Amino acid sequence: MRSPSALLLLAFLGACSTADTLSLAPSGKSSTLAGVSVKNPRFSDSDPHQWDSGAPWTYAIHGTDVSKYQTSIDWQTARGSGISFAFIKATEGGDRIDDYFAEHWRATRAAGVPRGAYHFYYFCRPAAEQARWFIQNVPNEASALPPILDMEWNPDSPSCKLRPPATTVRSEMKTFLDIVEKYYGKKPIIYTSVDFFDDNDLSTFRGYPYWLRSVAGHPTQKYGDHPFTFWQYTGTGVVPGISGNADINVFNGSEQAWKKWLAVNTR
């Protein structure tokens, strides 16, 4: 495990978003979805981590990510509690679409929650085929957040136990990302976990906004100085409007930085 950063550094990271350095040039157009109902929300957690530094509630903007396992959601209530964005599972591999994607996609828009779609990568299909499947099923909407590529090992898969070498993983990621970026006109976001990040030397895979999972320590403790735009800090959160355990994330920046990021990335 890497050495923890000093508290001063963590406070600085919470105030200064790395997202700004990864975005396109500002367009000057404000987003109609930039409203934040609750700043610095502190959600309950069914299995809370004891944060020694860099606690999630020091970040102004929080959001969630969902799939069919959350079933139907009261997005108005979730937004009112402090959910300012949502990442929605859309596709997996080259032939699966999440059962609740269409519902979540419509309902978040109706509730005024900025949202983006993510693809869960499957290691037994070519990247180009998976990119085409994502494009086939996810609308190209200017108001949507950038597309997301979810890269993590899936040892419980009943059909694919393959773990390609790191060079192959990075090459396939680049193929998927290039195709999707060209179609949607937005730089995709990469979601990953600590083990996958380390196993595949993703510290060398730069140039994309990262959404990092780290539920037992601040990202600087788990990923070193690798920049991140979003941080998933729990999978056992309690969010009004969502049944059962909820994933909760933060945006790495201030409310002002969030509004700027939205204006740049929702057009």
Side-chain angles (χ1 to χ4, degrees):
M1 182 183 294
R2 302 179 179 93
S3 299
S5 299
L7 288 173
L8 183 60
L9 174 60
L10 293 174
F12 176 78
L13 286 172
C16 301
S17 172
T18 60
D20 293 345
T21 65
L22 294 170
S23 299
L24 304 172
S27 65
K29 184 172 68 174
S30 298
S31 172
T32 58
L33 297 174
V36 175
S37 297
V38 181
K39 287 174 58 179
N40 300 90
R42 188 164 181 171
F43 292 99
S44 298
D45 201 306
S46 62
D47 186 19
H49 176 71
Q50 300 302 312
W51 301 100
D52 56 357
S53 59
W57 50 87
T58 63
Y59 291 82
I61 307 302
H62 291 229
T64 190
D65 56 279
V66 298
S67 68
K68 65 181 181 181
Y69 297 108
Q70 281 71 45
T71 64
S72 295
I73 293 171
D74 182 341
W75 286 105
Q76 290 285 3
T77 297
R79 184 179 184 225
S81 73
I83 292 299
S84 297
F85 63 88
F87 296 137
I88 302 169
K89 183 176 182 181
T91 53
E92 180 174 338
D95 60 359
R96 297 184 65 183
I97 185 165
D98 189 86
D99 294 342
Y100 276 77
F101 171 66
E103 177 179 323
H104 292 324
W105 194 251
R106 288 192 304 268
T108 44
R109 179 170 182 141
V113 177
R115 81 286 198 249
Y118 74 85
H119 174 81
F120 188 88
Y121 195 84
Y122 183 73
F123 294 96
C124 294
R125 282 196 185 252
E129 183 180 322
Q130 297 191 57
R132 289 192 295 269
W133 179 245
F134 182 83
I135 288 169
Q136 181 180 331
N137 289 283
V138 176
N140 188 354
E141 296 180 4
S143 63
L145 303 182
I148 302 118
L149 175 60
D150 181 344
M151 298 298 298
E152 54 188 306
W153 298 128
N154 184 15
D156 299 324
S157 173
S159 58
C160 183
K161 306 294 185 183
L162 186 64
R163 288 196 177 203
T167 53
T168 301
V169 167
R170 295 194 302 272
S171 176
E172 289 291 279
M173 287 175 64
K174 190 67 167 62
T175 296
F176 182 98
L177 293 164
D178 285 349
I179 294 171
V180 169
E181 181 176 357
K182 182 178 180 180
Y183 180 77
Y184 292 97
K186 299 177 182 182
K187 181 71 72 175
I189 299 166
I190 297 171
Y191 169 89
T192 195
S193 58
V194 177
D195 59 338
F196 192 92
F197 182 91
D198 289 339
D199 289 347
N200 294 286
D201 300 321
L202 293 190
S203 61
T204 66
F205 198 86
R206 301 272 180 147
Y208 292 92
Y210 271 78
W211 167 23
L212 300 177
R213 174 178 172 81
S214 184
V215 299
H218 191 273
T220 55
Q221 296 175 305
K222 305 296 183 178
Y223 298 88
D225 63 356
H226 195 82
F228 65 98
T229 306
F230 297 94
W231 165 29
Q232 185 185 76
Y233 66 85
T234 185
T236 54
V238 178
V239 174
I242 300 178
S243 300
N245 289 333
D247 291 342
I248 313 178
N249 311 273
V250 299
F251 170 76
N252 185 19
S254 65
E255 181 181 11
Q256 182 180 7
W258 169 243
K259 290 180 178 180
K260 178 182 176 182
W261 190 88
L262 272 182
V264 170
N265 290 283
T266 55
R267 57 176 184 174

